[in-house]
Amino acid sequence: MNETMTLCLEIIFWLALFVVFYTYLGYGIVLYILVKLKELFVKPVKRSLPASDADLPEVTLFITAFNEEDVVDEKMENSLELDYPADKLHIVWVTDGSDDGTNERLQTRWQGKATVHFQPLRQGKTAAMTRGMTLVDTPLVVFTDANTMVNREAIREIVLAFQDPKVGCVAGEKRIAVQTKDGAAAGGEGIYWKYESTLKALDARLYSAVGAAGELFAVRNELFEAMEPDTLLDDFILSLRITMKGYTIAYCTNAYAIESGSADMREEEKRKVRIAAGGLQSIWRLRPLLNPFRYGILSFQYTSHRVLRWSITPFLLFALFPLNIAILLLGGSTIFYGVLLAMQVLFYGLGYWGYYLSTKQIKNKLLFIPYYFLFMNVNVLKGIRYLKKETEPGKRRSVLKSKNKRYYLLLSLIIRHKSLSSNKKQTWTEYYMMRITHKEY
């Protein structure tokens, strides 16, 4: 009986270990091999921008902001320094609900340099994006955050990526500005994003990047789709819904946004928990993408790169330790499983040591890795509770009723309707957003 039980536990242990390894390292290895094999037979096509600036498309730099008075000047200076014809680049701020000096700053010092759309009612970032997009008529829209700075060549590089008609979205690279004095939050985040950027670049070379980061990404105007107001990861949902229409997401390493890492691990924890909750929400809302018979290689990439990280892998990771102990207690190989247990104890010990040093503001890059790795996976588990709270009746992000689906379709049609004036688009958008969020005029 013990032998049967031990064998079952060993099978579960090795399956769990395989999934954990594949999720965080194995997929990267497989992806690299597939990209190299593909590029042996299919050479990347080199594209170029129009020879004359007069032939460049008009672009909107779309900034959604809430109470960003402290960064308005720096963001505007950065935006005006971008290498793109001034008559072709339109800077738009949507500042719904802001009650600090954001609007006053934009309308005084930067009057005439940017268009500001404001309404007193705050309905969240996703609703602000939807409302703002009804007022944009350029063929390309670049989304960026108020607190991130974009490199000078970013817009041209993004427009270059759109020269491929198959590209419906361009994901810029996110870079974390890590200072010498920064602690585990910024250091760990910086290491994570370097690895993540490598995977994104390989994904794009194989077929398509799997999602875009809100710090810097762009879409074709006609492909923008209104999202549910309670969407936690608007950038991810929007970009992948574009791929579901048959387009790809290009990853542009030469267009990047720089932002400071989280001030401390408490702030980083809040962010990671929210992202994890958004990931779980996205898995449900993008569930058709799990069908490999319909989406092929994209489904493989999406499952391997995103779904596993946000679903079963964290559970399997933390199950390895008790499974290891149970196998030893039931008579498993003392030496072999003893060594594996010792390695786990060492890894958790290094993670805890990294945590201890971070509380003392002592920086150690070697210990950032196990600490941040465990930290991320713990926050995925916390994300489940966060998502449950956010979808409880009475919360701002209430569960949406199925009847609201038709409102999103109507919003998308309004946004893409060329003959409607901006005022009419805004009026209809506000009406449907009110209906969706159950508010009254």
Side-chain angles (χ1 to χ4, degrees):
M1 183 67 178
N2 274 358
E3 289 182 2
T4 304
M5 180 65 74
T6 303
L7 179 60
C8 288
L9 288 177
E10 286 181 326
I11 292 172
I12 295 171
F13 177 86
W14 286 106
L15 284 174
L17 184 60
F18 170 78
V19 173
V20 171
F21 174 80
Y22 176 77
T23 301
Y24 295 109
L25 289 174
Y27 174 62
I29 296 169
V30 172
L31 186 60
Y32 178 80
I33 293 170
L34 290 176
V35 167
K36 290 300 180 183
L37 287 173
K38 175 190 173 183
E39 292 180 351
L40 282 176
F41 302 98
V42 182
K43 299 299 180 184
V45 177
K46 289 187 177 181
R47 301 181 185 276
S48 58
L49 288 172
S52 170
D53 282 357
D55 297 324
L56 289 171
E58 293 191 42
V59 177
T60 293
L61 186 66
F62 193 107
I63 306 162
T64 308
F66 172 71
N67 287 351
E68 295 287 4
E69 178 185 11
D70 293 342
V71 298
V72 165
D73 289 344
E74 186 180 6
K75 183 64 178 181
M76 280 301 301
E77 288 168 1
N78 174 250
S79 301
L80 293 172
E81 288 173 358
L82 294 173
D83 179 21
Y84 205 76
D87 61 326
K88 299 275 187 176
L89 182 62
H90 309 277
I91 303 172
V92 171
W93 289 72
V94 181
T95 60
D96 292 357
S98 293
D99 54 10
D100 64 349
T102 300
N103 294 311
E104 290 76 8
R105 196 72 180 166
L106 286 168
Q107 291 168 354
T108 53
R109 180 176 178 183
W110 303 106
Q111 187 176 20
K113 302 292 185 181
T115 302
V116 181
H117 299 303
F118 168 75
Q119 68 172 20
L121 179 64
R122 186 189 180 197
Q123 295 174 298
K125 181 180 178 182
T126 304
M129 286 174 67
T130 300
R131 192 177 78 84
M133 281 298 291
T134 64
L135 308 172
V136 171
D137 56 11
T138 59
L140 302 178
V141 184
V142 179
F143 295 93
T144 181
D145 289 341
N147 64 342
T148 60
M149 301 304 129
V150 178
N151 66 308
R152 191 170 183 271
E153 302 78 18
I155 305 299
R156 284 185 183 271
E157 293 294 335
I158 287 171
V159 172
L160 175 60
F162 276 120
Q163 297 304 300
D164 182 349
K166 293 180 181 178
V167 172
C169 173
V170 178
E173 185 173 284
K174 175 181 175 179
R175 299 184 183 181
I176 303 298
V178 181
Q179 306 297 327
T180 305
K181 62 181 180 179
D182 286 341
E189 191 182 358
I191 293 169
Y192 166 76
W193 274 105
K194 285 178 183 177
Y195 177 63
E196 183 65 18
S197 295
T198 301
L199 287 183
K200 284 185 175 182
L202 289 171
D203 271 330
R205 286 165 64 186
L206 181 63
Y207 174 68
S208 171
V210 187
E215 287 78 11
L216 180 63
F217 76 105
V219 302
R220 295 186 188 275
N221 193 328
E222 70 270 17
L223 298 179
F224 181 87
E225 187 174 302
M227 294 165 285
E228 301 85 341
D230 68 341
T231 300
L232 296 173
L233 298 182
D234 46 79
D235 46 9
F236 187 75
I237 291 280
L238 173 58
S239 57
L240 279 181
R241 282 180 175 167
I242 288 174
T243 66
M244 292 169 72
K245 297 174 183 176
Y247 293 86
T248 63
I249 302 171
Y251 186 64
C252 192
T253 57
N254 293 325
Y256 55 86
I258 301 174
E259 73 171 1
S260 299
S262 300
D264 53 45
M265 292 307 287
R266 184 169 296 181
E267 180 186 326
E268 179 68 356
E269 179 183 1
K270 291 178 183 177
R271 202 174 68 84
K272 284 296 182 188
V273 168
R274 188 175 184 278
I275 290 173
L280 290 167
Q281 184 189 64
S282 300
I283 291 172
W284 175 251
R285 292 186 176 174
L286 299 173
R287 56 192 180 280
L289 268 178
L290 297 173
N291 183 355
F293 298 103
R294 183 176 178 183
Y295 292 103
I297 191 69
L298 177 62
S299 181
F300 161 71
Q301 292 179 290
Y302 170 62
T303 303
S304 300
H305 193 163
R306 299 298 187 184
V307 176
L308 290 177
R309 289 189 189 187
W310 287 333
S311 56
I312 64 171
T313 299
F315 291 96
L316 296 177
L317 171 67
F318 294 118
L320 288 173
F321 192 79
L323 282 170
N324 202 157
I325 293 174
I327 290 170
L328 281 170
L329 291 175
L330 289 173
S333 174
T334 305
I335 296 176
F336 185 67
Y337 285 100
V339 170
L340 289 176
L341 183 61
M343 291 172 66
Q344 289 199 72
V345 170
L346 177 62
F347 186 78
Y348 281 105
L350 290 172
Y352 180 78
W353 192 10
Y355 161 74
Y356 174 77
L357 292 179
S358 74
T359 62
K360 303 295 182 182
Q361 299 299 312
I362 299 173
K363 189 172 182 178
N364 187 312
K365 284 188 177 181
L366 181 63
L367 298 176
F368 280 174
I369 297 173
Y371 173 35
Y372 200 77
F373 177 78
L374 292 171
F375 170 80
M376 285 194 306
N377 281 280
V378 167
N379 287 325
V380 172
L381 304 183
K382 291 181 179 180
I384 298 172
R385 185 172 63 179
Y386 179 93
L387 184 60
K388 185 179 178 182
K389 275 185 175 182
E390 288 294 287
T391 54
E392 285 177 356
K395 294 288 183 181
R396 182 172 67 87
R397 291 185 170 91
S398 58
V399 178
L400 299 173
K401 297 180 181 179
S402 59
K403 69 178 183 180
N404 284 333
K405 289 181 180 178
R406 64 177 178 266
Y407 293 147
Y408 300 121
L409 176 60
L410 288 168
L411 281 172
S412 296
L413 292 173
I414 289 168
I415 291 167
R416 294 197 290 267
H417 205 296
K418 301 299 182 184
S419 62
L420 283 177
S421 67
S422 294
N423 286 338
K424 285 185 178 179
K425 283 186 178 182
Q426 185 171 359
T427 300
W428 280 108
T429 300
E430 288 175 354
Y431 169 74
Y432 284 120
M433 291 306 298
M434 290 290 183
R435 293 294 301 270
I436 290 167
T437 53
H438 312 291
K439 295 183 182 292
E440 297 178 356
Y441 282 103

